[in-house]
Every structure is written in C-alpha cells, then in structure tokens.
Amino acid sequence: MNRLNTTFAGVSMRNPLILASATTGWNGNGCHRAWLNQAGAVIPKSLAPPTKFAHHPRCGRMKMIRHGKSRIGMVNIELYTTMGLEDWLHTELDKAYEGGSCIIASIVAHPNPTETAGNARTIEDTGKVAMFEINVSCPMPADQSRVGFQMGNDPETCYRQVDALKGAVSLPVGIKLTPTTHHMVPMAQAAKSAGADFLTIGNSIRSFAGVDITTGLPRLPAYGGYSGPAIKPITQRHVSEVAKAVQIPISACGGVTTWEDVVEYLMLGAATVQLCTSIMWRGYGHFITILQGLNRYMEREGLTSLDEIHGKTLPFISSIEEVSQRPPMVSRVDPGLCINLIKGGCEMCGKVCFYDAIEFSPRLTLKPERCDGCNLCVEICPVGALSLEHLNP
Ligand SMILES: Cc1cc2nc3c(=O)[nH]c(=O)nc-3n(C[C@H](O)[C@H](O)[C@H](O)COP(=O)(O)O)c2cc1C
C-alpha cells in the first residue's frame, strides 16, 4: 500500500513532493533524475520568457546566506530558462517525460495573456504534460515592463492570466503567487474566480544578498530571490492565510527541507509541497530521504492517508486581538533541569528577561508578579527547564 498517493487538482501523484521550477529542472535530464529519485511530479525551469529576459547572469548568481557557519538561505539572480520554447519541446521534453513522469509545465506569464495561453496550448499538444503552472512571481524584474512579481501583485492580472489559459487548454491550470506581497488573499481569490485549479504558494522573496565589507561591494550586483529554510515562516503565513480564505488546492513552496516541514505545510492546508533549495543543496536523492521520513511518520501515527492531517492546524490560528484577551501565563522552572539551580552558572534566562522577573540571589528566583508571559526565557533556556503556566491554575 502506498499511503503517500495523492490526487492534486484532479491529477494522480505517487506522493505529494514536487520538484519546484528552478535550476534543478533546467533540462530534461534534471527532470528525469528527480523522477527517478521518486519525486511525485516535476516542474521544469519556467518556459517561454519574453525575449528581453532570455539571458540570465553567468558571472555568479547564487550566494549563501549564513548565520554563523549554518546556511539559512540563499539569494539568487537567476532568471527563466535560457532555452526557447520550441527548442525545449524538441530537445528536452522527451527526456523529462521518460518513465512516464508527471510533468507540470511552468510558463512565464507574458504581459499579453493571449501569448501565455498560446504557449500553453503548444505544450498541451505534445500530450506529455499533466498540468500548467503560470509564473507571475519571479522576484527579479522590476523595471517598467511589469513582469514577474509585479504581475503577481495585481489581482486583475492574475485573473486575466488564468482566464486566458483556462480558455485555451483542457489540462488543470495553477498560478504561482509571490510572497513579495503584504497580502496574498486577493490574488488567490482572483485566480480562483478565473477558474484556477490550484495555487502554488509561493516563490522566492525579493531581497538583497549582503555586502562584502572588505571591498564595500554588494555580494550580488542586483536584487534577487531569497529561498531556503529562512523563508519558511513567511511562506507558512501566506499558505495558511490563503487556505483559510479560499477553497482551492494549494502547493506550498518555501523552505521545505525535512519531512517535518512537509507535515507542517500539509497541516496548514497544503495538498502538495514543492522543493527547490533543499534539492539544490543536497541533490535529487533528498526526495527519497524525505519520503522515508514521511513513511515512518505515517506508520508511527497510524495514518492511512495524508488527507487525515490536511488543514489540521488551521482552526487553531487565531487573531492577535483574540489572543491578547486570553488569561495571562507566567514562567515556571523545573529545579531538576535548571543548570543554575543544580550547579550554578548559565543565567541565560536572566540576561533576556526585560521585565526583571528573573533574579539570581545567588541562585535563580522567579518573580511571577513581574513576569509578562513573553516566553523568551523559555525559548532561550538551553535545557528546557522553563515553561509557561497559567497565573492561577
Ligand atoms: C536558482 C533558482 C532558480 C529559480 N528559478 C525559478 C524559475 O525559473 N521559475 C520559478 O517559478 N521559480 C524559480 N525559482 C523559485 C523556486 O521554484 C522556489 O519557488 C523558491 O526557491 C522557494 O522554494 P525553496 O525555499 O524550496 O527554494 C528559482 C529558485 C532558485 C533558488
């Protein structure tokens, strides 16, 4: 029994892990390798850019963002495929399709939706793709041409792109929305009302890669897209906000690195997830590692289908106004765990208590009357000795 089988926007997939549109699928061979490594579906690098953007920088276009020695994300200034649509169809598609891959064609939204739709029809005629994803979310182009993420910030544009494709092709159509927005719901609603079959949330986030402080030069010479583990909280916000507001299948894309990330996104209302940076950092075999973790999790939890956890978290996401009315909590310490109470030293919680609710006289003493229930001491404690409890349990 394959417990990870899923049906996404009417298309059957062997599991919910999808190779996101990026460098990893820049040619047919890359897509095929992802398929051989058990991806549930593969999305080639975005096709058919307006001619003006057909060249991406070849003088270095990816920079790691580190915190200490750990990689927390990556900024890139890569654009769309450098291959023309006809070339891709003639030279790469057969290889990508080898073994019956489930292919989702990513199409760059042309400012004229009729052009986007024409490209989709040409691709559909091959009979080798399963669905379409319209890309209105590339974070790089920012001039007057209003392509990329600028299109994805306009509900009307999202509507017209989806509407044009729905009128031109019979396969399911989705749209990949941009997290470089203050509120994604209007775009999601517009896409749904135009007949979108699914949404991909989201893309990399428009950002800056930092400064080389020896030379004073930017680490990358243009604004780019931030991706990887660091963006997961931002993408999770968008996925859950849209999932609560719009009834439509969602493919979550942002910082998926572990099987736990996959479970989180499913619980936030996604039906599939897409992986880019984690595959770029670890190779296509990472799909298998994540699937093994997911299988073990489902076995342990006694789950027979992913539907059982779909959207589980959503009812518990509240508003800040409601949460601030809840009864206050204060921190408490477990004397059997606290380093300071056992042998002295540490005192990390005291350094981060800005309400003077933790004193050392000479050992840790909590002052519940001053505690503001912020939880920072709980988060900073290296041994999990602190927790919050209700003031009058
Ligand atoms: C080097 C690079 C190239 C990318 N190229 C594309 C692209 O051509 N089309 C697209 O829709 N997204 C593209 N993306 C965005 C990814 O598909 C994905 O949405 C984003 O990186 C967030 O997912 P992640 O955190 O798993 O990387 C690219 C990302 C990277 C890092």
Side-chain angles (χ1 to χ4, degrees):
M1 177 183 60
N2 180 0
R3 278 186 277 226
L4 295 173
N5 268 340
T6 192
T7 301
F8 180 61
V11 172
S12 168
M13 293 181 188
R14 59 187 174 183
N15 67 65
L17 306 190
I18 299 174
L19 180 74
S21 178
T23 326
T24 42
W26 81 271
N27 66 2
N29 197 40
C31 295
H32 183 54
R33 287 174 65 193
W35 184 251
L36 289 180
N37 280 280
Q38 299 304 313
V42 297
I43 312 184
K45 181 92 186 143
S46 291
L47 292 162
T51 324
K52 194 173 163 202
F53 288 108
H55 297 286
H56 57 203
R58 296 181 63 189
C59 43
R61 56 177 185 270
M62 296 181 209
K63 284 285 179 194
M64 291 294 178
I65 304 297
R66 295 178 197 273
H67 180 71
K69 290 206 167 83
S70 307
R71 293 178 302 211
I72 59 166
M74 184 165 77
V75 176
N76 82 88
I77 51 170
E78 179 165 297
L79 285 165
Y80 315 116
T81 180
T82 48
M83 241 180 265
L85 177 58
E86 292 298 329
D87 289 342
W88 194 86
L89 292 177
H90 287 129
T91 63
E92 307 303 325
L93 180 57
D94 280 347
K95 185 70 193 173
Y97 188 58
E98 208 177 298
S101 306
C102 179
I103 299 175
I104 303 172
S106 164
I107 305 190
V108 177
H110 193 283
N112 176 359
T114 313
E115 295 273 342
T116 323
N119 289 332
R121 199 169 25 235
T122 307
I123 296 170
E124 184 171 78
D125 286 346
T126 66
K128 291 175 183 161
V129 306
M131 54 215 298
F132 291 101
E133 181 185 85
I134 309 170
N135 179 357
V136 288
S137 45
C138 177
M140 269 70 87
D143 64 8
Q144 301 308 312
S145 51
R146 289 196 55 79
V147 292
F149 76 106
Q150 299 174 86
M151 296 175 112
N153 267 295
D154 177 30
E156 175 65 24
T157 302
C158 294
Y159 181 94
R160 290 198 302 121
Q161 292 287 336
V162 172
D163 185 52
L165 251 73
K166 288 298 289 179
V169 298
S170 53
L171 292 172
V173 172
I175 187 164
K176 183 169 178 176
L177 296 172
T178 173
T180 310
T181 180
H182 76 284
H183 193 37
M184 195 183 275
V185 170
M187 276 63 81
Q189 282 164 334
K192 183 178 177 186
S193 60
D197 299 285
F198 71 95
L199 304 174
T200 297
I201 303 174
N203 204 312
S204 51
I205 300 170
R206 186 169 168 81
S207 59
F208 187 69
V211 175
D212 177 337
I213 59 167
T214 310
T215 61
L217 295 173
R219 293 180 73 228
L220 282 175
Y223 296 103
Y226 196 17
S227 65
I231 73 165
K232 193 180 83 172
I234 298 165
T235 311
Q236 289 199 334
R237 172 221 152 185
H238 289 301
V239 167
S240 53
E241 279 185 347
V242 171
K244 286 194 328 163
V246 188
Q247 288 302 309
I248 188 168
I250 294 172
S251 190
C253 181
V256 176
T257 310
T258 63
W259 67 263
E260 290 94 333
D261 296 333
V262 178
V263 172
E264 283 188 39
Y265 273 120
L266 299 181
M267 289 184 169
L268 287 172
T272 59
V273 298
Q274 299 186 16
L275 296 84
C276 168
T277 301
S278 65
I279 302 297
M280 292 186 74
W281 288 357
R282 293 171 178 77
Y284 299 102
H286 191 52
F287 278 112
I288 294 174
T289 307
I290 294 187
L291 288 168
Q292 286 167 342
L294 271 180
N295 268 314
R296 277 195 301 269
Y297 163 77
M298 291 186 75
E299 176 121 33
R300 197 175 64 234
E301 298 295 318
L303 299 172
T304 53
S305 155
L306 291 171
D307 293 341
E308 292 170 52
I309 57 168
H310 181 250
K312 187 174 177 180
T313 310
L314 295 177
F316 303 98
I317 304 178
S318 191
S319 69
I320 193 69
E321 290 78 9
E322 186 275 321
V323 176
S324 57
Q325 296 305 314
R326 292 183 187 176
M329 301 174 88
V330 294
S331 55
R332 62 167 290 277
V333 64
D334 182 339
L337 290 176
C338 173
I339 297 169
N340 181 268
L341 290 177
I342 294 168
K343 59 178 184 181
C346 188
E347 300 191 2
M348 284 171 74
C349 53
K351 289 180 192 147
V352 304
C353 179
F354 300 98
Y355 295 94
D356 301 322
I358 300 177
E359 289 182 356
F360 296 93
S361 52
R363 293 291 165 89
L364 180 138
T365 314
L366 296 175
K367 302 283 177 190
E369 67 282 5
R370 294 189 204 145
C371 178
D372 205 45
C374 76
N375 204 50
L376 184 55
C377 60
V378 176
E379 290 294 312
I380 217 88
C381 176
V383 293
L386 290 156
S387 57
L388 285 190
E389 67 177 16
H390 283 292
L391 200 48
N392 301 308

